[in-house]
Amino acid sequence: MTLAYPFEDVRTQIKSASLAEVMDRLGVRMNFAKDEEIYAQEEDADLIYRVVSGVVRTMRLLSDGRRQVGDFYQAGDLFGLEVGALHRYSAEALCDCAIQVVKRSSLRAQADEGELDRAIWEATCRDLERAQDHILLLGRKTACEKVASFLMDLAQQGPNEAIDLPMGRQDIADYLGLTIETVSRMLTQLQGSQVVEFASCRQFRVRRWDVLERLAA
Amino acid sequence: MTLAYPFEDVRTQIKSASLAEVMDRLGVRMNFAKDEEIYAQEEDADLIYRVVSGVVRTMRLLSDGRRQVGDFYQAGDLFGLEVGALHRYSAEALCDCAIQVVKRSSLRAQADEGELDRAIWEATCRDLERAQDHILLLGRKTACEKVASFLMDLAQQGPNEAIDLPMGRQDIADYLGLTIETVSRMLTQLQGSQVVEFASCRQFRVRRWDVLERLAA
DNA sequence: GAGCTGTCTTGATCTGGATCAAACCCAAGG
DNA sequence: CCTTGGGTTTGATCCAGATCAAGACAGCTC
């Protein structure tokens, strides 16, 4: 396997346009209903997925049902690129989703090799960077800092705009390693101190970006 | 100064034998004393590091000094392969270490491209897989499960052998998102229930592999 | 509208792990 | 030997966040 020189900033918004095109040509568009499983943990990982619309969550279960959400994937993101042969996390549609699916092998045969490798590399790197941030958050941040970090991450686009929260409280809790009740309390608290403002429980606006940043630690 | 002595584990040796050789030829061997910094957070990441002997930890600090250990790297492991241009974690020698260091660019010019890419890819994938396990551990496991998982991970080689714990309690705590006291209590508890046995505080043996596995959840 | 149903918030209480504070253990150095 | 000092263990107490238990607030359908 040939890889692009691993030195580029993966956060570049250039979302490999031509890979998307090839995926559209070779792949299948599938629709998943809210909470439908896209692939299971331990399942063979020979497909590549791209979110066309909607949001996807990856997650892992402990034997007794405790759940950890790995990450959320939005429109344009590649996911399901497991490192080994098997999926280590399962993936589910967070809301109704359209997903473009392609077999790795057929893609490899048809697409520009370099292009494909580069896209896979970038998606993997993005996953790793986010995983590293996630580790710091889970290991050493307080409930309030976790929630503040989470809101900041969602609101990357900048303050003042209305941001949609596509996921419910339970998903946020399982992403942050908290309970729904704690998430709810922290959100109420942040709203009470004028840092953010909720129009409804699924939409908010950052009022004090500086304070939010400080709280996220 | 420690002399080079080839005691890499078999797994890594097979994977990147010739890369190691090229790194030895082109790179510099550096020695680091216990707790010495190998690279800092936010520093430029244009070097590739391979542990020759000793153990390395990567870590990240929050502004108020809370610390999260990202991972530990043993002889044979590649590290410092950041995704972007800057190191997102810092790296320190856990004990006296010998590290082989090479400039990415010079390596690229000389080595077999495919070989290098493959080694970098595999090291990155290993990091990602371990990060994913780490996320589940930090987000949803109890103190006891965390410690049990940690011991199991160290003892991969199998039960019955004496395993060295190269890191102190503080490093374990900062890896598991706990305090030293809690780590110590859990170790005492595991020893009390005959699951593991400590010869000294830096060496143990697994007595009941099945129980340890169950406790790790 | 009135009833549902699922999600979210709020309140009261409990507890696992943190914090605070000794004591212990040993290796290194006088 | 006896110190000294870093790492570790142990004990007592505290508190952030979990758990348990109501409410409140939508969207629904009928």
Side-chain angles (χ1 to χ4, degrees), chain A residues 163-169 172 187 198-204:
Chain A
I163 316 285
D164 278 310
L165 267 182
M167 66 292 288
R169 299 294 187 263
I172 300 177
L187 290 173
F198 278 79
S200 77
C201 69
R202 294 294 187 106
Q203 200 190 55
F204 72 100

Side-chain angles (χ1 to χ4, degrees), chain B residues 8 21-22 27-28 41 55 59 68 74 109 115 119 131-132 138-139 144 157 173 180 182 188 191:
Chain B
E8 292 145 39
E21 187 198 308
V22 177
V28 191
Q41 209 171 318
V55 183
M59 41 171 259
Q68 177 64 47
Q74 313 251 355
E115 172 71 28
Q132 288 172 336
L138 291 171
C144 179
Q157 34 258 30
I180 355 178
T182 300
T188 311
Q191 173 151 242

